[in-house]
Amino acid sequence: MSLRTALLVLAFVPGIALVALWGVTSGQTLFDFQRQAAQGLLAEKAGQPSNVVYYNLQEERRLSAEVLARRDGATADLARQRELTDEAVDRFRSLSDVTEDDAPREVLDAVAGARQAISQLPAQRALVDGGDRDQQEAVYDYYTNLIAVDLKLFTALSHVDNGRITTLSQPLVDLFWAKEMISRSDALLARGWERGRLSTREYQQFRQAVAGQSFVHATKVVPFLPDDEKAEWEAITGSAAWQAKTRVENAVLRPADPDSSGDIRIRAEERTWRDAMDTLTPRLKTLMEQRTAHVVEEGKGSVMSLLFRMVLTTVVGLLAVVAVIWTTWRLTRNLRRRISRLQEQAEALEKALPDVVERLGQGERIDVEAEARAIQQDDQDRASDELTRLGEALNLARTSALEAAVRQADQHRGFERLLQRIARRTQQLIGQQLKKLDELERRHEDPEVLDGLFDLDHLTARLRRYEENLVILAGGSPHRRWRKPVPLLDVMRSAQGEVQDYRRVMLDLDGSPWLSARAVGPVSHVLAELIENALAFSRPPSPVEVRAAAVSRGLAIEVEDRGLGMEEDQLADANELMRRPPRMDVLAHSDDIRLGLHVIARLASQYGLRVEFRSSAYGGTRAVVLVPHELTVAGTDPEAPAPSAVPVHAVAPLAG
């Protein structure tokens, strides 16, 4: 059977549709499980710690009001409560760092809002510690808004994908709101117990809080509680403490006219209210925690049920897929074996081809026939079908690729040799011209003539360096050689003399180090390229400073300009080029403005120099060249004259 026929048979196997159905069903079930599990984890990490913050903030709000009202003993109580609040806040911050990808945006926003509001808590506490009764309104509003943000988080956590959990969570959120209304009433009365009066605004806020709690628990909490929790709620509302609370609320809300200052007298006993609150608050917390635990357990049960359904669906679907695969295995066994063999051989060829190309790039000559290892046909299978023809096509493609790479490498090497020959011939002419100019400079004493000859000498030296750049980029080495060590100062002056605007270059040398003969040419060339770049990218008349000093690892030479500098990514690219200079295609990079950097990188690699670019404190660029100890010499050459200062216009390159 041909490959085409086998593929057509496989295309109509019902197992394909079964695999697709199994994948979609399992994927959707897995997605639902992950999302609900993530929501349950969020409720545990952010929801439960925020409950504790909620309780402590309510108590701190009341005690802050008592401190501002100057109640005796309230300061110590507030200090203890703040410690409890700080513990709850720290736990909330450590557990609510929500980063789950499956977290709903509503929950992420609510958590961020709660963390942002909590961050302002120290400022509000300072307002309480240093304030008076005039700060009551601002402090009350802050704590109330902060608790409202916490309740918004509860609401967001209740909006899950599971409708049953959302239905169970809504009465819990409303129960938190009912408790908040009672706590607001407590905080408002705490502002007036000491004076026995409430302002008109405080009285209105108290009335709204009492009306709000009655509405919430009567319409949103009680009708939706299960029987056991409803019985607990009725026990709370039927208790003596609740009746005492109600009596105090009714007494405070009894119609009364404001006094001359606009305040309304509180016609109730603080002790009765406090005893009622101290009794009711723990019972309300117990009911709310019971409701919370019930919702959490239901959520965990829902997640486990979904996990069971996911596993069951996946296993059953997988068994069906296995049955389909087993049915088609005997038909496709031979086909898969041949495809696997072809793939292995193709991968082996794919791994070998880059190595051959790399060897060509390094100048090695190869035998195309020996390197073009063919894809062999299996001895047990002599079928002539699409796979066989595919193997033959891959063989032809590999051979063609190798032949093209060899031709390109030969052309590249030929061009490099041609470029080197042209550059060498030009260098010979430039060398003769430099000798002739030197003879003319020694022969003439007229200052104007000498200036012209010096300019010609300077231009010729630059031209010689550009020709050397061509040789280096073409894979060769500079032609100039030195037989003896040279002072570093002369090398620096030589580099200075091979740039156009050399009068802007300032040299600074610490000591009198010498370079070995083999290092003179490359160091001078590298410095000349760096100085030229610095001059090109800094605006006249700003100077370019060249400093050199001995360091623990050799000689450090710095070239620093005051231009626009380089971006961080440009510095990284330049330093990477210095560490790993690639083989450069001169034709492909003919428009590259970084040709000088390629020359520097090639020379540094050949002679063991280390070049690094950094940002300058002046805003420009600082290039550091490290010359290792093996390229320096100890002491000075006794036969060479000591370096002496020369005028700027007389700076000239070293003679090779």
Side-chain angles (χ1 to χ4, degrees):
M1 180 183 292
S2 67
L3 179 60
R4 181 183 298 273
T5 304
L7 292 176
L8 288 175
V9 172
L10 291 176
F12 290 99
V13 172
I16 296 179
L18 184 60
V19 170
L21 180 61
W22 171 75
V24 171
T25 304
S26 300
Q28 183 61 43
T29 308
L30 177 61
F31 174 77
D32 293 340
F33 167 74
Q34 289 178 334
R35 187 169 180 84
Q36 292 194 28
Q39 291 171 348
L41 181 61
L42 284 175
E44 182 179 354
K45 291 178 61 177
Q48 293 180 352
S50 64
N51 291 359
V52 183
V53 175
Y54 163 84
Y55 298 136
N56 285 279
L57 287 176
Q58 288 179 339
E59 185 65 16
E60 185 172 330
R61 176 177 57 187
R62 179 183 68 81
L63 292 174
S64 298
E66 292 183 354
V67 169
L68 290 173
R70 300 293 189 267
R71 186 181 71 80
D72 294 339
T75 302
D77 294 340
L78 178 59
R80 288 190 293 271
Q81 179 56 45
R82 284 178 176 178
E83 294 179 357
L84 297 176
T85 304
D86 289 339
E87 293 178 2
V89 168
D90 291 341
R91 178 173 174 79
F92 171 75
R93 283 175 171 167
S94 63
L95 295 179
S96 64
D97 190 9
V98 180
T99 58
E100 285 79 3
D101 295 335
D102 293 332
R105 174 51 55 185
E106 182 183 11
V107 174
L108 294 175
D109 294 341
V111 170
R115 293 168 67 91
Q116 175 65 25
I118 288 175
S119 65
Q120 302 175 11
L121 188 58
Q124 294 298 322
R125 288 175 173 175
L127 194 64
V128 173
D129 296 338
D132 53 19
R133 182 171 177 80
D134 294 337
Q135 305 297 334
Q136 286 278 21
E137 193 68 28
V139 172
Y140 174 82
D141 289 343
Y142 168 74
Y143 281 100
T144 301
N145 292 334
L146 179 55
I147 294 172
V149 171
D150 211 13
L151 291 170
K152 182 179 178 182
L153 175 58
F154 298 159
T155 303
L157 291 172
S158 69
H159 295 165
V160 296
D161 294 341
N162 192 319
R164 171 173 170 75
I165 303 302
T166 300
T167 302
L168 292 175
S169 301
Q170 190 57 48
L172 176 61
V173 176
D174 294 330
L175 192 58
F176 276 108
W177 273 109
K179 171 68 170 60
E180 167 61 7
M181 294 297 106
I182 297 174
S183 178
R184 289 183 184 181
S185 301
D186 193 13
L188 289 167
L189 288 178
R191 296 158 61 175
W193 287 125
E194 191 69 20
R195 298 187 308 141
R197 299 188 304 274
L198 291 175
S199 67
T200 303
R201 178 175 174 80
E202 293 170 344
Y203 181 80
Q204 293 297 331
Q205 290 175 334
F206 180 80
R207 180 187 295 277
Q208 293 172 2
V210 173
Q213 64 172 290
S214 300
F215 170 77
V216 171
H217 72 68
T219 61
K220 294 187 175 183
V221 176
V222 176
F224 302 99
L225 291 177
D227 294 338
D228 56 341
E229 295 179 5
K230 184 180 296 184
E232 178 66 21
W233 176 262
E234 291 175 353
I236 293 175
T237 56
S239 64
W242 187 274
Q243 300 301 325
K245 176 188 82 73
T246 304
R247 287 195 301 273
V248 172
E249 291 173 344
N250 292 335
V252 174
L253 294 177
R254 189 177 303 153
D257 295 329
D259 57 15
S260 59
S261 62
D263 295 338
I264 299 175
R265 187 168 62 86
I266 301 176
R267 294 185 295 276
E269 295 183 1
E270 179 184 2
R271 186 72 267 164
T272 302
W273 174 266
R274 187 77 269 130
D275 291 342
M277 287 293 100
D278 292 343
T279 303
L280 290 174
T281 298
R283 298 187 65 179
L284 288 172
K285 287 183 179 179
T286 301
L287 177 60
M288 294 162 67
E289 291 172 359
Q290 179 182 347
R291 184 66 181 171
T292 301
H294 177 66
V295 172
V296 171
E297 288 300 322
E298 286 290 337
K300 291 181 179 179
S302 175
V303 171
M304 295 305 298
S305 176
L306 185 59
L307 176 62
F308 174 76
R309 292 200 303 271
M310 181 191 71
V311 173
L312 181 62
T313 302
T314 303
V315 170
V316 172
L318 183 59
L319 291 176
V321 170
V322 170
V324 173
I325 294 175
W326 176 259
T327 302
T328 58
W329 174 76
R330 295 180 62 86
L331 179 65
T332 59
R333 178 181 59 179
N334 184 54
L335 180 61
R336 287 186 289 107
R337 178 178 55 82
R338 294 179 59 200
I339 291 177
S340 298
R341 178 175 173 79
L342 180 61
Q343 180 181 0
E344 291 175 359
Q345 295 186 1
E347 289 178 351
L349 295 181
E350 184 270 336
K351 294 178 181 179
L353 184 58
D355 178 65
V356 174
V357 174
E358 178 65 22
R359 288 158 53 194
L360 284 172
Q362 295 176 357
E364 181 179 346
R365 295 187 177 276
I366 67 170
D367 185 354
V368 176
E369 294 182 358
E371 296 293 341
R373 292 173 292 178
I375 295 179
Q376 303 295 330
Q377 188 177 7
D378 193 347
D379 294 336
Q380 300 177 0
D381 191 356
R382 294 295 182 178
S384 178
D385 55 16
E386 288 84 350
L387 288 180
T388 302
R389 291 193 289 272
L390 178 59
E392 295 173 353
L394 290 175
N395 290 336
L396 293 176
R398 174 179 171 80
T399 303
S400 299
L402 286 176
E403 291 176 349
V406 169
R407 287 196 299 271
Q408 184 177 8
D410 290 340
Q411 292 175 358
H412 189 76
R413 283 192 293 266
F415 176 75
E416 287 182 343
R417 288 193 297 270
L418 176 62
L419 191 62
Q420 290 185 33
R421 284 197 297 270
I422 295 175
R424 295 294 189 194
R425 293 177 181 177
T426 306
Q427 284 182 323
Q428 292 176 359
L429 296 177
I430 292 174
Q432 296 176 5
Q433 183 174 341
L434 285 173
K435 291 181 180 179
K436 186 64 176 178
L437 288 173
D438 185 63
E439 293 176 0
L440 293 175
E441 290 169 0
R442 298 177 185 278
R443 186 182 307 168
H444 293 277
E445 297 181 357
D446 188 347
E448 293 184 0
V449 175
L450 282 177
D451 285 342
L453 292 176
F454 284 146
D455 289 340
L456 288 176
D457 190 292
H458 174 67
L459 292 174
T460 305
R462 290 172 57 200
L463 182 60
R464 178 178 59 185
R465 178 167 58 86
Y466 294 154
E467 289 296 325
E468 288 183 350
N469 286 351
L470 292 178
V471 175
I472 295 170
L473 292 177
S477 300
H479 183 67
R480 288 184 290 169
R481 297 288 187 274
W482 278 260
R483 294 184 297 274
K484 296 180 180 180
V486 177
L488 178 59
L489 179 60
D490 288 351
V491 176
M492 294 168 62
R493 287 172 173 171
S494 174
Q496 179 186 12
E498 293 188 7
V499 298
Q500 180 177 3
D501 199 2
Y502 57 86
R503 291 178 177 84
R504 290 168 50 199
V505 180
M506 300 174 60
L507 303 181
D508 183 9
L509 178 61
D510 184 9
S512 56
W514 287 60
L515 295 181
S516 63
R518 65 182 296 263
V520 174
V523 171
S524 175
H525 200 117
V526 167
L527 289 180
E529 291 293 334
L530 291 175
I531 293 173
E532 186 171 72
N533 282 347
L535 291 170
F537 291 99
S538 60
R539 181 177 300 179
S542 62
V544 171
E545 299 180 7
V546 182
R547 299 180 293 271
V551 295
S552 61
R553 299 174 61 183
L555 289 175
I557 308 173
E558 298 182 356
V559 179
E560 186 172 18
D561 64 68
R562 303 184 182 183
L564 297 177
M566 301 170 68
E567 301 293 338
E568 292 295 332
D569 56 343
Q570 294 176 333
L571 287 174
D573 292 343
N575 289 326
E576 180 65 19
L577 177 63
M578 295 300 111
R579 288 190 293 268
R580 299 181 180 86
R583 181 179 181 182
M584 184 179 178
D585 189 339
V586 179
L587 292 178
H589 293 75
S590 59
D591 295 331
D592 193 346
I593 62 173
R594 303 187 307 166
L595 286 178
L597 296 183
H598 285 276
V599 173
I600 296 171
R602 185 69 65 87
L603 285 175
S605 176
Q606 289 178 358
Y607 293 92
L609 304 176
R610 181 177 176 182
V611 183
E612 183 177 350
F613 293 91
R614 304 173 183 174
S615 296
S616 169
Y618 299 110
T621 303
R622 179 159 57 102
V624 181
V625 181
L626 180 63
V627 183
H629 285 296
E630 52 267 24
L631 297 182
T632 63
V633 295
T636 61
D637 186 355
E639 297 182 3
S644 58
V646 297
V648 173
H649 71 272
V651 173
L654 294 172

